[in-house]
Amino acid sequence: MPENKPFQRLPKNVIPKHYDLELTPNLEKLTFTGKTAVKVSIVNSTKEIVLNSLDLELKSVKLQYNDGGSDSTLSPVEVRLNAADETACIVFDKPLPEGEAMLFCEFNGEINDKMKGLYRSKYLTPAGEERYAAVTQFEATDARRCFPCWDEPAIKATFDISLDVPADRVALSNMPVREERIEGGKKFLRFDTTPVMSTYLVAVVVGEYDYVEKKSRDGVLVRVYTPVGKSKQGMFALEVAARVLPYYKEYFDIAYPLPKIDLIAIADFSAGAMENWGLVTYRETCLLVDEEHTSAVRRQWIALVVGHELAHQWFGNLVTMEWWTHLWLNEGYASFVEFLCVNHLFPEYDIWTQFVTETYIRALELDCLKNSHPIEVPVGHPSEIDEIFDDISYNKGASVIRMLHRYIGDDDFRKGMNIYLTRHQYKNTFTEDLWAALEEASNKPVGAVMSTWTKQMGFPMVQVSSEQRGPDRVLTLTQQKFCADGSLGDDTLWMVPITISTQEQPSKVALSTGLEQRTQEVVLENVAESSWVKLNPGTVSLFKIITLYHVSVGL
């Protein structure tokens, strides 16, 4: 990883509480205009309000606050844009008093071709006409390309979103429509107020789509939006989503907090999918199933992606990382839970075997290199964030969460997740907050164990030797950092949960206290010298094993 640039964080002297956001996209000229009215809290008196803005023209900015029963409106003496820092500094001629105020802004911008911010997605109508949809992709720091805002995950607010669009287009956002008016060829839509949420989860789509729908068992309206004429290709994802929501509700013991969820296939999309709260956007190949041509492997992948994004509705959206340093917690956790969910819905997939080959192994392949990085990486400038959307954050993150799940057991894991999500709902967290909740639920040293896996890169190689001492088998375990080039590892140590099964009790997995030192003995009582011993059944803990005499490993 490159050396981190200085942290670029917004000052906290003025923070938003609620946004009224109105957008008017022009799908012919590929431009848009917008208005915001943001209720702000001036925490400390200041002459400057600093927020994020990029590639926008700010045309009209004013501040209105109530001064002793009468409204006072102030115009700034300067609006200073800094493209390098992606900020707008609104400067007034005198300090603003503490209290609440309304910040109004009118702006315009381009519906760009960068697949971030508010961007264009080209599609063909059934008649073969080329048209564009307007789509948002705000993670990690691109809401600022669509409207001026405090574009950091910890600066949450509620949103009232309105869209002024062509009358013949479908227009969607995070929440259901509250009000709709059609005048001439235009349609004005106002959506319900969102929960408290981060700016990167705000979403808008305007285009031409068909949809299929059903209600989940727990009463949530689920819709899958597809290109016109392809609604049948959304049926598989619809069935998966409608079954996933009640599963997560029961698993977390917390209901999905929104009244609807839309899943929509986007023609031009940079990632696989994005977990916008209530309006999840997908690459078409990650959502649509053609009954005649889609392979079984692709169906499994779509089920996993749907499970992943819906897990984020709780873990990421309801409770959000404080800063992008903790991105792995969002993605690693969802990348584990997607398998947990699909294993429940489709046991015939044998999905945990596929986890080993597709997730676990990919993590080890990257992490054994000298230019790997720890799971948890300090992030300074926003430009660094994209660098950590990789196999370490997703695949190694998922693998260590799976290892933790085995270590504390499913019952305590579920209990800890409920503690975590309930305690921090609508708020922001650090990695340590999750460890604290799981430690509280399990009474095991989760923080001490997991910090060795998240704060240092690489993984151990464990040499195992066996010795018979009377009726007992004694295993000597020695750990050392594994390096792909064959060089000797450094002095790094991990706290390694060690699982063992034996020939005498092949279905019983005994959990030792874990390998905590360089060398440690494990005594297996009443295991004959001729019996086999299997370490790490299911390939759950992250280590490579060198074995000597009657010891087998893995699956």
Side-chain angles (χ1 to χ4, degrees):
M1 297 291 290
E3 184 178 348
N4 295 106
K5 303 173 187 177
F7 268 43
Q8 301 290 324
R9 302 291 292 267
L10 294 173
K12 300 299 192 298
N13 52 5
V14 179
I15 55 175
K17 296 296 184 182
H18 176 78
Y19 292 80
D20 272 306
L21 169 63
E22 182 178 330
L23 295 172
T24 304
N26 186 321
L27 300 176
E28 302 297 327
K29 296 181 180 179
L30 298 175
T31 59
F32 68 94
T33 60
K35 299 177 183 178
T36 53
V38 187
K39 183 179 181 180
V40 298
S41 175
I42 301 170
V43 180
N44 303 112
S45 180
T46 178
K47 293 176 67 175
E48 297 182 346
I49 298 176
V50 181
L51 68 166
N52 294 115
S53 180
L54 182 63
D55 296 339
L56 297 175
E57 180 186 359
L58 307 187
K59 295 165 53 180
S60 173
V61 180
K62 59 183 179 180
L63 185 77
Q64 187 178 83
Y65 62 94
N66 189 282
D67 184 11
S70 61
D71 288 334
S72 298
T73 300
L74 297 177
S75 295
V77 295
E78 181 185 9
V79 177
R80 190 165 59 241
L81 300 177
N82 186 323
D85 288 343
E86 304 179 0
T87 59
C89 181
I90 304 167
V91 184
F92 296 90
D93 62 354
K94 59 181 181 180
L96 304 172
E98 295 179 3
E100 292 189 344
M102 293 294 294
L103 179 66
F104 297 90
C105 186
E106 297 180 11
F107 52 92
N108 56 45
E110 178 190 10
I111 303 176
N112 66 63
D113 60 357
K114 300 174 182 178
M115 290 197 285
K116 53 188 176 181
L118 181 62
Y119 74 91
R120 65 190 77 163
S121 175
K122 185 167 64 176
Y123 63 95
L124 292 177
T125 67
E129 182 184 350
E130 187 178 281
R131 292 183 182 170
Y132 288 96
V135 181
T136 56
Q137 170 58 37
F138 289 165
E139 189 180 31
T141 58
D142 290 312
R144 64 193 66 180
R145 296 177 184 269
C146 181
F147 62 103
C149 57
W150 285 256
D151 198 15
E152 295 182 4
I155 309 180
K156 290 187 170 185
T158 53
F159 293 81
D160 277 328
I161 297 172
S162 302
L163 298 175
D164 197 355
V165 302
D168 61 349
R169 297 298 196 267
V170 171
L172 304 171
S173 188
N174 304 84
M175 299 296 290
V177 174
R178 179 199 309 167
E179 174 190 354
E180 180 176 338
R181 300 194 310 268
I182 298 178
E183 298 177 3
K186 298 287 285 183
K187 177 168 59 177
F188 177 83
L189 300 169
R190 184 180 298 278
F191 298 87
D192 283 341
T193 304
T194 71
V196 174
M197 59 190 278
S198 304
T199 50
Y200 80 90
L201 296 170
V202 172
V204 166
V205 176
V206 181
E208 295 176 275
Y209 300 95
D210 288 339
Y211 68 85
V212 289
E213 72 174 27
K214 73 179 298 182
K215 276 204 170 182
S216 67
R217 182 162 44 84
D218 52 341
V220 179
L221 179 63
V222 184
R223 286 181 174 177
V224 174
Y225 285 83
T226 73
V228 173
K230 296 184 177 181
S231 60
K232 288 185 178 180
Q233 296 187 20
M235 290 302 299
F236 177 74
L238 178 68
E239 293 297 324
V240 172
R243 295 172 64 192
V244 165
L245 287 174
Y247 171 73
Y248 284 153
K249 176 184 177 180
E250 292 163 10
Y251 195 85
F252 299 133
D253 197 22
I254 296 174
Y256 173 69
L258 274 62
K260 66 93 174 175
I261 189 158
D262 299 327
L263 294 73
I264 184 166
I266 304 298
D268 297 296
F269 199 77
S270 60
M274 173 59 205
E275 67 267 19
N276 314 297
W277 217 353
L279 176 55
V280 184
T281 46
Y282 291 81
R283 187 180 295 186
E284 289 186 358
T285 55
C286 292
L287 190 68
L288 304 182
V289 170
D290 184 324
E291 291 296 336
E292 295 184 3
H293 300 103
T294 302
S295 68
V297 170
R298 177 55 58 178
R299 281 173 177 267
Q300 291 184 15
W301 174 244
I302 289 169
L304 287 168
V305 175
V306 170
H308 180 105
E309 303 308 328
L310 296 193
H312 276 312
Q313 306 301 303
W314 285 262
F315 202 96
N317 300 5
L318 181 63
V319 178
T320 311
M321 67 214 157
E322 194 277 338
W323 181 242
W324 299 104
T325 293
H326 310 281
L327 168 73
W328 86 271
L329 197 58
N330 266 17
E331 299 304 343
Y333 180 84
S335 296
F336 162 71
V337 172
E338 69 185 61
F339 282 85
L340 202 66
C341 169
V342 169
N343 182 64
H344 173 78
L345 298 183
F346 303 100
E348 68 274 16
Y349 285 177
D350 189 22
I351 204 70
W352 286 118
T353 299
Q354 297 181 52
F355 180 96
V356 174
T357 58
E358 296 172 9
T359 300
Y360 178 99
I361 295 300
R362 286 172 62 187
L364 298 190
E365 286 174 346
L366 179 56
D367 207 31
C368 65
L369 304 178
K370 289 187 174 180
N371 61 349
S372 181
H373 64 82
I375 288 178
E376 192 167 294
V377 180
V379 174
H381 193 276
S383 64
E384 298 171 359
I385 296 169
D386 286 346
E387 299 175 28
I388 57 173
F389 280 83
D390 63 5
D391 281 345
I392 297 297
S393 292
Y394 282 77
N395 295 336
K396 187 181 179 185
S399 297
V400 300
I401 295 289
R402 179 172 174 245
M403 180 172 63
L404 173 61
H405 176 264
R406 164 73 70 82
Y407 174 55
I408 68 174
D410 187 67
D411 288 345
D412 286 343
F413 188 83
R414 293 174 67 161
K415 180 182 175 184
M417 290 309 310
N418 177 262
I419 292 171
Y420 173 80
L421 292 170
T422 303
R423 180 177 293 162
H424 302 289
Q425 59 185 329
Y426 304 108
K427 298 175 184 175
N428 297 80
T429 58
F430 299 86
T431 298
E432 289 74 18
D433 294 316
L434 177 59
W435 301 158
L438 293 170
E439 201 162 292
E440 182 178 329
S442 66
N443 292 314
K444 291 184 177 178
V446 173
V449 172
M450 295 306 291
S451 63
T452 67
W453 294 96
T454 63
K455 295 184 181 300
Q456 53 193 27
M457 72 181 212
F459 58 89
M461 173 177 63
V462 178
Q463 180 173 301
V464 187
S465 61
S466 175
E467 177 187 354
Q468 198 68 25
R469 296 180 187 171
D472 302 331
R473 180 81 68 85
V474 179
L475 304 182
T476 301
L477 311 178
T478 303
Q479 65 163 298
Q480 186 173 26
K481 183 178 179 180
F482 177 77
C483 297
D485 63 3
S487 61
L488 292 177
D490 55 29
D491 292 333
T492 306
L493 289 176
W494 289 263
M495 294 180 69
V496 189
I498 301 290
T499 51
I500 302 169
S501 62
T502 65
Q503 185 170 324
E504 281 75 7
Q505 294 181 306
S507 61
K508 182 179 179 180
V509 176
L511 180 67
S512 81
T513 55
L515 176 57
E516 302 177 22
Q517 300 97 28
R518 178 73 60 201
T519 300
Q520 187 169 317
E521 286 189 349
V522 177
V523 178
L524 303 176
E525 296 181 350
N526 300 312
V527 175
E529 186 174 4
S530 59
S531 299
W532 57 257
V533 172
K534 179 176 286 188
L535 271 74
N536 202 19
T539 315
V540 177
S541 290
L542 270 76
F543 56 87
K544 282 189 171 291
I545 304 179
I546 297 177
T547 63
L548 302 173
Y549 187 61
H550 286 318
V551 180
S552 60
V553 300
L555 296 171

